[in-house]
Amino acid sequence: SAWRVLVAHDNEDPAESLCVLLQMMGADVRTAYDGLQAVEEAARFRPHMALLDIGMPRLSGHEVAQRIRGEPWGRDVVLVALTGWGQDEDMRRSMAAGFDHHFTKPVDPERIEKLLEHLQTQPAIS
């Protein structure tokens, strides 16, 4: 079964690029273009992994991560912060919000590919 991945980004071009990359790797991908839509889509789709832009309208990526982590189904979702901010304090804030990884933009596609490859060797959550 394919890994379910949610891509949430308020800029369509990077979102679509990530989706294409993930689909080429065999992932089942859904997209959201703001924070509230990301929370709603995550609740419906129940992703194994979510790539969340931090600076989204309606809810920030940090708020989305906190809401996902607050759901029973969201405890094991691999959460990846996508942001232009890469200082230690930015990374600490992401980890405090519930993220597992903090990727600074522009994100190296190889980094996403390696993460998904690693995750695909793990048993998928239902």
Side-chain angles (χ1 to χ4, degrees):
S1 63
W3 268 65
R4 295 182 305 275
V5 180
L6 174 64
V7 174
H9 201 297
D10 63 335
N11 186 327
E12 287 188 35
D13 289 337
E16 292 306 315
S17 295
L18 282 172
C19 286
V20 168
L21 172 69
L22 292 161
Q23 287 169 337
M24 287 173 34
M25 296 183 64
D28 181 8
V29 184
R30 298 290 183 279
T31 309
Y33 298 105
D34 68 53
L36 191 55
Q37 186 183 32
V39 170
E40 292 166 352
E41 187 62 33
R44 278 191 299 272
F45 184 50
R46 306 283 174 97
H48 298 109
M49 180 168 74
L51 302 166
L52 306 174
D53 181 27
I54 296 300
M56 290 185 289
R58 297 175 74 191
L59 291 175
S60 73
H62 291 123
E63 292 167 311
V64 174
Q66 290 169 335
R67 289 191 184 195
I68 289 173
R69 286 289 186 237
E71 297 293 334
W73 54 264
R75 294 186 185 125
D76 294 324
V77 176
V78 176
L79 297 179
V80 181
L82 304 177
T83 178
W85 305 98
Q87 300 298 318
D88 288 343
E89 180 56 33
D90 302 310
M91 292 181 211
R92 277 192 292 277
R93 188 168 177 219
S94 291
M95 297 305 122
F99 284 99
D100 300 296
H101 303 276
H102 181 102
F103 290 177
T104 304
K105 296 188 260 182
V107 177
D108 179 1
E110 239 179 73
R111 196 167 179 199
I112 300 274
E113 189 173 359
K114 285 180 182 177
L115 176 60
L116 187 59
E117 284 173 356
H118 171 74
L119 294 174
Q120 287 176 331
T121 65
Q122 310 301 311
I125 344 160
S126 19

mmCIF file of all heavy atoms in Angstrom, residues 54-86:
data_model
loop_
_atom_site.group_PDB
_atom_site.id
_atom_site.type_symbol
_atom_site.label_atom_id
_atom_site.label_comp_id
_atom_site.label_asym_id
_atom_site.label_seq_id
_atom_site.Cartn_x
_atom_site.Cartn_y
_atom_site.Cartn_z
ATOM 1 N N ILE A 54 5.437 26.513 7.068
ATOM 2 C CA ILE A 54 5.187 27.198 8.332
ATOM 3 C C ILE A 54 4.352 28.463 8.126
ATOM 4 O O ILE A 54 3.446 28.740 8.892
ATOM 5 C CB ILE A 54 6.517 27.549 9.043
ATOM 6 C CG1 ILE A 54 7.270 26.274 9.412
ATOM 7 C CG2 ILE A 54 6.278 28.421 10.278
ATOM 8 C CD1 ILE A 54 6.525 25.349 10.345
ATOM 9 N N GLY A 55 4.612 29.211 7.057
ATOM 10 C CA GLY A 55 3.963 30.501 6.866
ATOM 11 C C GLY A 55 2.704 30.463 6.025
ATOM 12 O O GLY A 55 2.613 31.176 5.037
ATOM 13 N N MET A 56 1.740 29.652 6.405
ATOM 14 C CA MET A 56 0.479 29.568 5.662
ATOM 15 C C MET A 56 -0.570 30.495 6.265
ATOM 16 O O MET A 56 -0.534 30.782 7.461
ATOM 17 C CB MET A 56 -0.064 28.131 5.688
ATOM 18 C CG MET A 56 0.740 27.152 4.880
ATOM 19 S SD MET A 56 -0.027 25.523 4.825
ATOM 20 C CE MET A 56 0.222 24.943 6.504
ATOM 21 N N PRO A 57 -1.524 30.937 5.433
ATOM 22 C CA PRO A 57 -2.641 31.730 5.974
ATOM 23 C C PRO A 57 -3.633 30.847 6.736
ATOM 24 O O PRO A 57 -3.611 29.633 6.601
ATOM 25 C CB PRO A 57 -3.293 32.328 4.722
ATOM 26 C CG PRO A 57 -2.873 31.467 3.582
ATOM 27 C CD PRO A 57 -1.569 30.834 3.980
ATOM 28 N N ARG A 58 -4.471 31.491 7.500
ATOM 29 C CA ARG A 58 -5.557 30.907 8.298
ATOM 30 C C ARG A 58 -5.043 30.141 9.506
ATOM 31 O O ARG A 58 -5.568 30.323 10.589
ATOM 32 C CB ARG A 58 -6.505 30.064 7.458
ATOM 33 C CG ARG A 58 -7.210 30.920 6.404
ATOM 34 C CD ARG A 58 -8.060 30.155 5.466
ATOM 35 N NE ARG A 58 -9.287 29.715 6.117
ATOM 36 C CZ ARG A 58 -10.112 28.851 5.566
ATOM 37 N NH1 ARG A 58 -9.846 28.319 4.393
ATOM 38 N NH2 ARG A 58 -11.207 28.499 6.185
ATOM 39 N N LEU A 59 -4.080 29.278 9.365
ATOM 40 C CA LEU A 59 -3.373 28.635 10.482
ATOM 41 C C LEU A 59 -1.928 28.451 10.034
ATOM 42 O O LEU A 59 -1.690 28.048 8.899
ATOM 43 C CB LEU A 59 -3.947 27.252 10.807
ATOM 44 C CG LEU A 59 -5.335 27.135 11.407
ATOM 45 C CD1 LEU A 59 -5.739 25.669 11.522
ATOM 46 C CD2 LEU A 59 -5.413 27.815 12.765
ATOM 47 N N SER A 60 -0.990 28.722 10.917
ATOM 48 C CA SER A 60 0.419 28.494 10.572
ATOM 49 C C SER A 60 0.707 26.991 10.569
ATOM 50 O O SER A 60 -0.064 26.190 11.113
ATOM 51 C CB SER A 60 1.327 29.182 11.592
ATOM 52 O OG SER A 60 1.313 28.473 12.826
ATOM 53 N N GLY A 61 1.816 26.626 9.980
ATOM 54 C CA GLY A 61 2.228 25.225 10.013
ATOM 55 C C GLY A 61 2.404 24.703 11.434
ATOM 56 O O GLY A 61 2.104 23.551 11.723
ATOM 57 N N HIS A 62 2.859 25.570 12.337
ATOM 58 C CA HIS A 62 2.991 25.171 13.743
ATOM 59 C C HIS A 62 1.624 24.826 14.335
ATOM 60 O O HIS A 62 1.476 23.818 15.039
ATOM 61 C CB HIS A 62 3.644 26.283 14.573
ATOM 62 C CG HIS A 62 5.083 26.496 14.248
ATOM 63 N ND1 HIS A 62 5.577 27.697 13.838
ATOM 64 C CD2 HIS A 62 6.142 25.654 14.265
ATOM 65 C CE1 HIS A 62 6.874 27.596 13.617
ATOM 66 N NE2 HIS A 62 7.237 26.362 13.868
ATOM 67 N N GLU A 63 0.635 25.657 14.034
ATOM 68 C CA GLU A 63 -0.716 25.398 14.551
ATOM 69 C C GLU A 63 -1.300 24.126 13.940
ATOM 70 O O GLU A 63 -1.967 23.345 14.631
ATOM 71 C CB GLU A 63 -1.634 26.585 14.257
ATOM 72 C CG GLU A 63 -1.252 27.835 15.038
ATOM 73 C CD GLU A 63 -1.957 29.086 14.533
ATOM 74 O OE1 GLU A 63 -1.953 29.343 13.305
ATOM 75 O OE2 GLU A 63 -2.514 29.814 15.386
ATOM 76 N N VAL A 64 -1.036 23.904 12.660
ATOM 77 C CA VAL A 64 -1.506 22.675 12.005
ATOM 78 C C VAL A 64 -0.873 21.465 12.674
ATOM 79 O O VAL A 64 -1.555 20.484 12.999
ATOM 80 C CB VAL A 64 -1.193 22.692 10.488
ATOM 81 C CG1 VAL A 64 -1.551 21.354 9.849
ATOM 82 C CG2 VAL A 64 -1.933 23.831 9.798
ATOM 83 N N ALA A 65 0.436 21.518 12.903
ATOM 84 C CA ALA A 65 1.135 20.398 13.554
ATOM 85 C C ALA A 65 0.538 20.112 14.929
ATOM 86 O O ALA A 65 0.291 18.953 15.283
ATOM 87 C CB ALA A 65 2.626 20.712 13.673
ATOM 88 N N GLN A 66 0.282 21.161 15.703
ATOM 89 C CA GLN A 66 -0.285 20.971 17.039
ATOM 90 C C GLN A 66 -1.666 20.330 16.970
ATOM 91 O O GLN A 66 -1.986 19.449 17.773
ATOM 92 C CB GLN A 66 -0.343 22.308 17.778
ATOM 93 C CG GLN A 66 1.028 22.815 18.149
ATOM 94 C CD GLN A 66 1.023 24.254 18.631
ATOM 95 O OE1 GLN A 66 0.138 25.042 18.302
ATOM 96 N NE2 GLN A 66 2.041 24.610 19.404
ATOM 97 N N ARG A 67 -2.484 20.754 16.007
ATOM 98 C CA ARG A 67 -3.826 20.169 15.871
ATOM 99 C C ARG A 67 -3.750 18.709 15.434
ATOM 100 O O ARG A 67 -4.506 17.878 15.932
ATOM 101 C CB ARG A 67 -4.669 20.988 14.907
ATOM 102 C CG ARG A 67 -5.062 22.327 15.495
ATOM 103 C CD ARG A 67 -6.092 23.011 14.659
ATOM 104 N NE ARG A 67 -6.387 24.338 15.181
ATOM 105 C CZ ARG A 67 -7.428 25.039 14.820
ATOM 106 N NH1 ARG A 67 -8.288 24.576 13.925
ATOM 107 N NH2 ARG A 67 -7.643 26.237 15.327
ATOM 108 N N ILE A 68 -2.863 18.407 14.502
ATOM 109 C CA ILE A 68 -2.705 17.009 14.070
ATOM 110 C C ILE A 68 -2.237 16.154 15.245
ATOM 111 O O ILE A 68 -2.772 15.079 15.498
ATOM 112 C CB ILE A 68 -1.734 16.902 12.875
ATOM 113 C CG1 ILE A 68 -2.393 17.474 11.613
ATOM 114 C CG2 ILE A 68 -1.295 15.447 12.653
ATOM 115 C CD1 ILE A 68 -1.468 17.577 10.407
ATOM 116 N N ARG A 69 -1.245 16.642 15.980
ATOM 117 C CA ARG A 69 -0.736 15.876 17.138
ATOM 118 C C ARG A 69 -1.803 15.701 18.219
ATOM 119 O O ARG A 69 -1.757 14.749 18.986
ATOM 120 C CB ARG A 69 0.479 16.573 17.742
ATOM 121 C CG ARG A 69 1.719 16.444 16.910
ATOM 122 C CD ARG A 69 2.261 15.022 16.944
ATOM 123 N NE ARG A 69 3.529 14.985 16.249
ATOM 124 C CZ ARG A 69 3.789 14.194 15.223
ATOM 125 N NH1 ARG A 69 2.873 13.356 14.782
ATOM 126 N NH2 ARG A 69 4.956 14.225 14.639
ATOM 127 N N GLY A 70 -2.766 16.592 18.266
ATOM 128 C CA GLY A 70 -3.829 16.497 19.261
ATOM 129 C C GLY A 70 -4.881 15.455 18.959
ATOM 130 O O GLY A 70 -5.724 15.155 19.800
ATOM 131 N N GLU A 71 -4.841 14.892 17.758
ATOM 132 C CA GLU A 71 -5.796 13.851 17.358
ATOM 133 C C GLU A 71 -5.196 12.466 17.595
ATOM 134 O O GLU A 71 -4.007 12.269 17.366
ATOM 135 C CB GLU A 71 -6.151 13.990 15.871
ATOM 136 C CG GLU A 71 -6.841 15.281 15.517
ATOM 137 C CD GLU A 71 -8.232 15.389 16.124
ATOM 138 O OE1 GLU A 71 -8.863 14.340 16.397
ATOM 139 O OE2 GLU A 71 -8.691 16.524 16.325
ATOM 140 N N PRO A 72 -6.005 11.496 18.021
ATOM 141 C CA PRO A 72 -5.471 10.145 18.222
ATOM 142 C C PRO A 72 -4.789 9.588 16.967
ATOM 143 O O PRO A 72 -3.738 8.961 17.056
ATOM 144 C CB PRO A 72 -6.704 9.319 18.598
ATOM 145 C CG PRO A 72 -7.680 10.310 19.140
ATOM 146 C CD PRO A 72 -7.412 11.596 18.403
ATOM 147 N N TRP A 73 -5.354 9.851 15.801
ATOM 148 C CA TRP A 73 -4.773 9.354 14.557
ATOM 149 C C TRP A 73 -3.516 10.128 14.160
ATOM 150 O O TRP A 73 -2.747 9.682 13.314
ATOM 151 C CB TRP A 73 -5.784 9.418 13.407
ATOM 152 C CG TRP A 73 -6.389 10.773 13.207
ATOM 153 C CD1 TRP A 73 -7.586 11.203 13.699
ATOM 154 C CD2 TRP A 73 -5.824 11.885 12.514
ATOM 155 N NE1 TRP A 73 -7.806 12.523 13.345
ATOM 156 C CE2 TRP A 73 -6.727 12.967 12.611
ATOM 157 C CE3 TRP A 73 -4.638 12.096 11.814
ATOM 158 C CZ2 TRP A 73 -6.484 14.204 12.041
ATOM 159 C CZ3 TRP A 73 -4.402 13.333 11.249
ATOM 160 C CH2 TRP A 73 -5.317 14.374 11.363
ATOM 161 N N GLY A 74 -3.267 11.287 14.777
ATOM 162 C CA GLY A 74 -2.150 12.137 14.379
ATOM 163 C C GLY A 74 -0.867 11.943 15.157
ATOM 164 O O GLY A 74 0.144 12.554 14.850
ATOM 165 N N ARG A 75 -0.900 11.086 16.133
ATOM 166 C CA ARG A 75 0.280 10.914 16.992
ATOM 167 C C ARG A 75 1.469 10.306 16.270
ATOM 168 O O ARG A 75 2.614 10.601 16.601
ATOM 169 C CB ARG A 75 -0.085 10.081 18.218
ATOM 170 C CG ARG A 75 -1.058 10.821 19.110
ATOM 171 C CD ARG A 75 -1.335 10.095 20.408
ATOM 172 N NE ARG A 75 -2.371 10.819 21.134
ATOM 173 C CZ ARG A 75 -3.488 10.279 21.549
ATOM 174 N NH1 ARG A 75 -3.725 9.007 21.345
ATOM 175 N NH2 ARG A 75 -4.376 11.006 22.196
ATOM 176 N N ASP A 76 1.211 9.437 15.290
ATOM 177 C CA ASP A 76 2.300 8.753 14.580
ATOM 178 C C ASP A 76 2.588 9.326 13.199
ATOM 179 O O ASP A 76 3.445 8.805 12.486
ATOM 180 C CB ASP A 76 1.971 7.259 14.443
ATOM 181 C CG ASP A 76 1.940 6.560 15.784
ATOM 182 O OD1 ASP A 76 2.753 6.916 16.663
ATOM 183 O OD2 ASP A 76 1.103 5.656 15.965
ATOM 184 N N VAL A 77 1.903 10.387 12.812
ATOM 185 C CA VAL A 77 2.156 11.011 11.512
ATOM 186 C C VAL A 77 3.547 11.649 11.545
ATOM 187 O O VAL A 77 3.904 12.320 12.512
ATOM 188 C CB VAL A 77 1.094 12.082 11.189
ATOM 189 C CG1 VAL A 77 1.417 12.803 9.878
ATOM 190 C CG2 VAL A 77 -0.292 11.468 11.136
ATOM 191 N N VAL A 78 4.337 11.417 10.511
ATOM 192 C CA VAL A 78 5.651 12.049 10.405
ATOM 193 C C VAL A 78 5.421 13.466 9.884
ATOM 194 O O VAL A 78 4.943 13.651 8.773
ATOM 195 C CB VAL A 78 6.579 11.250 9.459
ATOM 196 C CG1 VAL A 78 7.910 11.974 9.285
ATOM 197 C CG2 VAL A 78 6.781 9.839 9.980
ATOM 198 N N LEU A 79 5.748 14.457 10.709
ATOM 199 C CA LEU A 79 5.521 15.857 10.355
ATOM 200 C C LEU A 79 6.837 16.529 9.988
ATOM 201 O O LEU A 79 7.810 16.463 10.755
ATOM 202 C CB LEU A 79 4.874 16.604 11.518
ATOM 203 C CG LEU A 79 3.488 16.128 11.940
ATOM 204 C CD1 LEU A 79 2.976 16.949 13.125
ATOM 205 C CD2 LEU A 79 2.513 16.206 10.779
ATOM 206 N N VAL A 80 6.830 17.182 8.819
ATOM 207 C CA VAL A 80 8.017 17.858 8.307
ATOM 208 C C VAL A 80 7.698 19.340 8.128
ATOM 209 O O VAL A 80 6.797 19.692 7.358
ATOM 210 C CB VAL A 80 8.467 17.248 6.960
ATOM 211 C CG1 VAL A 80 9.723 17.957 6.443
ATOM 212 C CG2 VAL A 80 8.698 15.750 7.088
ATOM 213 N N ALA A 81 8.429 20.201 8.825
ATOM 214 C CA ALA A 81 8.275 21.650 8.680
ATOM 215 C C ALA A 81 9.041 22.104 7.442
ATOM 216 O O ALA A 81 10.186 21.715 7.236
ATOM 217 C CB ALA A 81 8.822 22.367 9.915
ATOM 218 N N LEU A 82 8.384 22.929 6.623
ATOM 219 C CA LEU A 82 9.028 23.553 5.467
ATOM 220 C C LEU A 82 9.052 25.053 5.733
ATOM 221 O O LEU A 82 7.998 25.669 5.909
ATOM 222 C CB LEU A 82 8.232 23.278 4.189
ATOM 223 C CG LEU A 82 7.976 21.820 3.835
ATOM 224 C CD1 LEU A 82 7.106 21.730 2.590
ATOM 225 C CD2 LEU A 82 9.288 21.083 3.618
ATOM 226 N N THR A 83 10.250 25.644 5.783
ATOM 227 C CA THR A 83 10.347 27.044 6.160
ATOM 228 C C THR A 83 11.603 27.700 5.594
ATOM 229 O O THR A 83 12.570 27.013 5.280
ATOM 230 C CB THR A 83 10.333 27.182 7.701
ATOM 231 O OG1 THR A 83 10.467 28.557 8.059
ATOM 232 C CG2 THR A 83 11.436 26.386 8.350
ATOM 233 N N GLY A 84 11.546 28.997 5.493
ATOM 234 C CA GLY A 84 12.714 29.761 5.098
ATOM 235 C C GLY A 84 13.621 30.077 6.276
ATOM 236 O O GLY A 84 14.697 30.630 6.115
ATOM 237 N N TRP A 85 13.192 29.724 7.460
ATOM 238 C CA TRP A 85 13.928 30.031 8.685
ATOM 239 C C TRP A 85 14.633 28.785 9.201
ATOM 240 O O TRP A 85 13.972 27.786 9.470
ATOM 241 C CB TRP A 85 12.988 30.587 9.751
ATOM 242 C CG TRP A 85 12.221 31.772 9.249
ATOM 243 C CD1 TRP A 85 10.938 31.764 8.751
ATOM 244 C CD2 TRP A 85 12.684 33.103 9.131
ATOM 245 N NE1 TRP A 85 10.584 33.023 8.344
ATOM 246 C CE2 TRP A 85 11.639 33.872 8.563
ATOM 247 C CE3 TRP A 85 13.887 33.733 9.443
ATOM 248 C CZ2 TRP A 85 11.766 35.226 8.322
ATOM 249 C CZ3 TRP A 85 13.997 35.088 9.199
ATOM 250 C CH2 TRP A 85 12.952 35.813 8.648
ATOM 251 N N GLY A 86 15.964 28.864 9.356
ATOM 252 C CA GLY A 86 16.715 27.677 9.740
ATOM 253 C C GLY A 86 17.620 27.849 10.943
ATOM 254 O O GLY A 86 18.519 27.044 11.149
#
